[in-house]
């Protein structure tokens, strides 16, 4: 077998991961991109509100997709392009979750997919202060010019996986995972008529039933020092393959969700939240509208500067924007805040 897979990237209309408005796909055969496809689309009915935060990131506006087929109508074409390929995505749990939630709220079944996460591979094989897509793509020699264009992001993801396979002398996905001691992840097939809905979909449907919009629970930025809250113990029964599992996470800056809530949700996924950067820190989540480019421009908090200093001394710490962190939580910006205090 050669290095064959399909890279995929979704953009969503709002904080619910089942609201895809664009998708990009790059098909790789023998370590070379041989075919690409991309679509704009209307998100599934009742989940098609465009949130300001999402539009600001990807630039897709509701009028651009008005009258286009919805995700459920397009999925036969998307699925046909993927075929039986292994899927690759940067933060794959999010993009695979988009497929699942998008089909669930469309009332459609979904096939099983084996998948590879290039965030996880970047962490394992590169030594970067940020494993965000632009940084990893630059390291792979495929600089990303128009980040959040779904087609370009999928192409960059493909380039990262091709580069990592080459660095490890792997001629296939199976060889790469064997050389790194990793197991291929799998999203099982499902039928919404008999299988339980995913947690993200249940939360979105509950919010819809309560008359709340997709960003109803987003907190406005507040003046003053953010409340740290307690540091809950990590859930050791969480999925070991999740990007936050086993990480020691520190938060800095103002987040769209309360910091105690962010700590609680990261702990549920197996992370250990702490309140200050130390030798144990492996992930720093930066709020205040931070993007990866800020690492070069110097628009950083004190904690972020401390992380850069430690990284230069050899401590492996990853810096995440809040958007990347929220994707790792399941893509739902409207996080439950009842427990946040």
């Amino acid at each position: 077998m050669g290095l064959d897979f399909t890279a995929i990237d979704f953009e969503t209309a709002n904080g619910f991961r089942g609201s895809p408005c664009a998708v990009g796909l790059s098909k790789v055969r023998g370590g070379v991109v041989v075919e690409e496809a991309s679509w704009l689309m209307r998100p599934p009915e009742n989940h098609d509100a465009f949130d300001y935060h999402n539009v600001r990131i990807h630039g897709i506006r509701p009028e651009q997709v008005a009258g286009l087929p919805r995700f459920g109508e397009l999925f036969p074409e998307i699925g046909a392009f993927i075929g039986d390929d292994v899927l690759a995505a940067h933060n794959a749990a999010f993009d695979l979750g988009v497929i699942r939630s998008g089909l669930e709220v469309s009332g459609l079944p979904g096939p099983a997919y084996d998948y590879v996460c290039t965030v996880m591979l970047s962490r394992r094989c590169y030594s970067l202060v940020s494993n965000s897509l632009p940084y990893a793509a630059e390291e792979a020699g495929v600089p990303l010019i128009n980040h959040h264009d779904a087609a370009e992001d999928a192409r960059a993801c493909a380039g990262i996986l091709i580069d990592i396979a080459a660095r490890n002398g792997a001629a296939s996905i199976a060889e790469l995972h064997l050389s790194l001691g990793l197991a291929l992840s799998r999203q099982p097939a499902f039928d919404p008529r008999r299988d339980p809905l995913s947690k993200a979909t249940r939360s979105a449907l509950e919010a819809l039933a309560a008359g709340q919009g997709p960003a109803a629970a987003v907190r406005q930025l507040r003046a003053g020092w953010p409340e740290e809250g307690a540091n809950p113990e990590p859930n050791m029964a969480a999925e070991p393959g999740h990007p936050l599992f086993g990480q020691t996470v520190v938060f800095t800056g103002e987040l769209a969700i309360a910091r105690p809530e962010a700590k609680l949700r990261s702990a549920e996924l197996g992370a250990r939240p702490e309140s200050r950067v130390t030798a144990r820190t492996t992930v720093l989540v930066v709020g205040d509208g931070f993007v990866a480019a800020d690492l070069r421009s110097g628009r950083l908090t004190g904690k972020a500067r401390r992380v850069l200093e430690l990284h230069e001394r050899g401590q492996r710490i990853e810096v995440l924007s809040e958007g990347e962190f929220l994707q790792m939580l399941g893509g739902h910006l409207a996080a439950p805040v009842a427990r946040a205090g």
Side-chain angles (χ1 to χ4, degrees):
M1 291 179 62
L3 187 64
D4 301 342
F5 62 92
T6 292
I8 189 167
D9 179 82
F10 281 104
E11 301 298 330
T12 56
N14 55 65
F16 172 43
R17 68 187 189 185
S19 64
C21 59
V23 66
L25 300 125
S26 289
K27 186 174 289 291
V28 172
R29 290 292 179 266
V32 177
V33 175
V34 297
E35 188 177 0
E36 297 183 321
S38 63
W39 288 272
L40 290 176
M41 68 195 75
R42 277 190 298 165
E45 191 173 3
N46 297 322
H47 303 279
D48 49 5
F50 277 71
D51 184 83
Y52 165 77
H53 299 280
N54 294 63
V55 174
R56 184 180 60 180
I57 289 170
H58 53 56
I60 302 168
R61 307 186 66 84
E63 56 267 25
Q64 292 175 256
V65 303
L68 294 180
R70 293 194 186 273
F71 170 73
E73 299 171 84
L74 272 177
F75 189 74
E77 290 184 68
I78 297 170
F81 186 95
I82 298 169
D84 295 327
D85 277 6
V86 171
L87 281 175
H90 207 70
N91 191 15
F94 173 77
D95 293 280
L96 271 292
V98 170
I99 294 176
R100 171 125 189 187
S101 287
L103 290 175
E104 285 177 334
V105 295
S106 301
L108 298 172
Y113 288 112
D114 291 324
Y115 65 90
V116 173
C117 179
T118 51
V119 168
M120 301 292 286
L121 292 177
S122 175
R123 283 179 173 176
R124 180 67 70 96
C125 299
Y126 299 153
S127 181
L128 304 174
V129 70
S130 171
N131 289 291
S132 66
L133 189 59
Y135 272 69
E138 182 179 37
E139 178 69 16
V142 285
L144 186 57
I145 305 302
N146 190 19
H147 187 24
H148 295 297
D149 174 86
E152 190 165 342
D153 283 2
R155 189 181 309 127
C157 173
I160 292 166
L161 183 48
I162 291 167
D163 178 67
I164 288 175
R167 293 189 188 203
N168 286 274
S172 69
I173 298 292
E175 278 188 25
L176 176 61
H177 279 65
L178 185 63
S179 69
L180 296 175
L182 299 173
L184 199 61
S185 299
R186 184 172 179 83
Q187 176 164 283
F190 68 93
D191 187 332
R193 294 171 298 182
R194 64 169 186 265
D195 295 327
L197 297 176
S198 63
K199 182 179 179 181
T201 298
R202 290 198 309 272
S203 297
L205 293 176
E206 288 166 4
L208 190 66
Q212 298 175 345
V218 175
R219 295 174 180 267
Q220 297 299 312
L221 296 184
R222 302 176 298 279
W225 199 262
E227 178 192 354
E228 277 288 343
N231 291 315
E233 288 296 312
N235 172 21
M236 302 314 295
E239 172 55 51
H242 192 278
L244 291 175
F245 185 87
Q247 304 296 324
T248 299
V249 183
V250 175
F251 297 89
T252 185
E254 187 70 55
L255 308 178
I257 61 176
R259 195 174 292 180
E261 180 68 21
K263 288 185 172 186
L264 182 62
R265 295 185 68 184
S266 63
E268 288 172 349
L269 293 167
R272 179 177 295 280
E274 293 190 342
S275 299
R276 63 189 183 91
V277 175
T278 69
R280 295 185 298 272
T281 306
T282 58
V283 173
L284 179 72
V285 178
V286 186
D288 297 324
F290 164 86
V291 293
D294 292 338
L295 291 169
R296 294 193 177 98
S297 71
R299 191 179 74 85
L300 299 169
T301 66
K303 285 181 181 176
R305 290 192 186 93
R306 173 68 174 153
V307 161
L308 289 180
E309 292 170 5
L310 291 172
H311 194 271
E312 289 174 1
R313 295 177 193 170
Q315 183 174 339
R316 298 192 65 157
I317 305 178
E318 178 180 3
V319 180
L320 293 179
S321 69
E322 184 182 10
E324 292 166 318
F325 171 70
L326 289 168
Q327 275 198 347
M328 290 180 180
L329 296 187
H332 209 299
L333 185 60
V337 294
R339 298 164 294 178

